[in-house]
Amino acid sequence: MASFSDIMKGVIYSKGRGCFITPDDFGAKVSSASLRTELVNFNNSRLLIHVARGLYFFPHIGKDGKQVRPTLYDIMKHIEVATKGMVFPSEETAYHLLGLTEERPTPMLFYTTGTPKTLNLNSGPELVFKKASKRNRIPQFQSIKVRTLFMVYSAMEESRITKKMIAAMNRYCSEFTEEDFADDYESLPLWMKENLKFPVLKKNVEEAEEE
């Protein structure tokens, strides 16, 4: 008969690396006491990373042999699924994420069109996902990173956007992957298309020309 530990490992590996793990993933397969004990053991043995209360992460292992911790955007994507709603940062949080402010908001405020939720990260700030209201301008983009970029843009008048702000926005865009960008380019405001650089799109065009 398989041990509780083996049963839980089977569930974890079936989800795959790069996935978040919660107690609900194990259903009634193990008792709550055994579940807590094994999750602590898995964290101590570095099989899982304890992200917040009731939330773990099954990490990829980098070339240097170290765990690849989840990014804030990984957590935001998980919350989208968990709260069954679109997630986007407040203006203050978006400014910080783009490097326009050094001081990190406390807590870091996000909005969700789904169920409100709060996460106290074990190695990071408190994340508050507040229910979005009609007063919030909900950015209608598929990508969380594009929504974050748009929150900064929408908070400013185009005529008052400085070169420093554009440089920060372009640094942020330079890290976009195809997955980050999704299919949002056509929906961007004209100012963003004309003033911001998206290297991932340029790369796609060059690859297409080579073919």
Side-chain angles (χ1 to χ4, degrees):
M1 181 177 178
S3 65
F4 287 140
S5 178
D6 289 338
I7 292 173
M8 291 177 66
K9 284 181 180 178
V11 172
I12 293 168
Y13 278 99
S14 68
K15 292 200 68 173
R17 292 189 180 276
C19 289
F20 286 90
I21 305 291
T22 70
D24 291 341
D25 290 319
F26 303 99
K29 295 181 175 65
V30 294
S31 67
S32 57
S34 298
L35 178 61
R36 287 192 295 271
T37 298
E38 291 303 330
L39 286 173
V40 170
N41 290 339
F42 292 157
N43 179 63
N44 292 339
S45 67
R46 299 174 63 80
L47 176 67
L48 297 179
I49 294 173
H50 189 196
V51 178
R53 184 177 180 181
L55 183 63
Y56 294 80
F57 186 71
F58 185 29
H60 290 287
I61 304 300
K63 294 180 179 179
D64 57 2
K66 295 181 179 180
Q67 294 174 318
V68 179
R69 300 187 66 85
T71 66
L72 182 58
Y73 291 102
D74 291 329
I75 295 172
M76 290 168 68
K77 289 176 184 177
H78 168 75
I79 294 297
E80 278 206 320
V81 176
T83 65
K84 298 180 180 179
M86 180 185 291
V87 167
F88 57 99
S90 66
E91 290 177 4
E92 186 181 13
T93 298
Y95 266 72
H96 176 70
L97 292 175
L98 263 70
L100 288 168
T101 56
E102 292 184 7
E103 186 174 352
R104 184 173 65 193
T106 305
M108 293 186 76
L109 177 63
F110 301 84
Y111 294 100
T112 175
T113 57
T115 307
K117 192 175 183 65
T118 297
L119 282 181
N120 288 293
L121 301 185
N122 286 343
S123 57
E126 178 184 22
L127 308 182
V128 175
F129 295 85
K130 186 178 179 181
K131 179 72 174 180
S133 68
K134 293 181 180 179
R135 291 180 298 176
N136 298 120
R137 185 177 181 182
I138 301 174
Q140 300 296 325
F141 298 101
Q142 296 182 49
S143 165
I144 289 177
K145 286 193 174 182
V146 174
R147 286 177 221 151
T148 301
L149 182 66
F150 182 78
M151 290 302 292
V152 171
Y153 163 79
S154 64
M156 302 178 285
E157 294 181 17
E158 290 182 0
S159 61
R160 301 183 66 181
I161 298 177
T162 65
K163 290 182 178 180
K164 180 180 178 181
M165 291 176 177
I166 292 175
M169 296 167 95
N170 278 327
R171 282 195 299 273
Y172 183 76
C173 294
S174 69
E175 299 177 357
F176 277 21
T177 64
E178 290 184 40
E179 182 182 359
D180 291 330
F181 207 80
D183 298 315
D184 290 323
Y185 182 77
E186 294 303 323
S187 301
L188 290 177
L190 181 61
W191 182 94
M192 295 176 74
K193 293 179 182 178
E194 292 181 341
N195 292 275
L196 301 183
K197 300 174 182 178
F198 300 97
V200 66
L201 295 182
K202 183 178 180 181
K203 178 183 176 183
N204 290 346
V205 170
E206 290 174 347
E207 290 177 348
E209 290 176 346
E210 289 176 0
E211 292 177 358

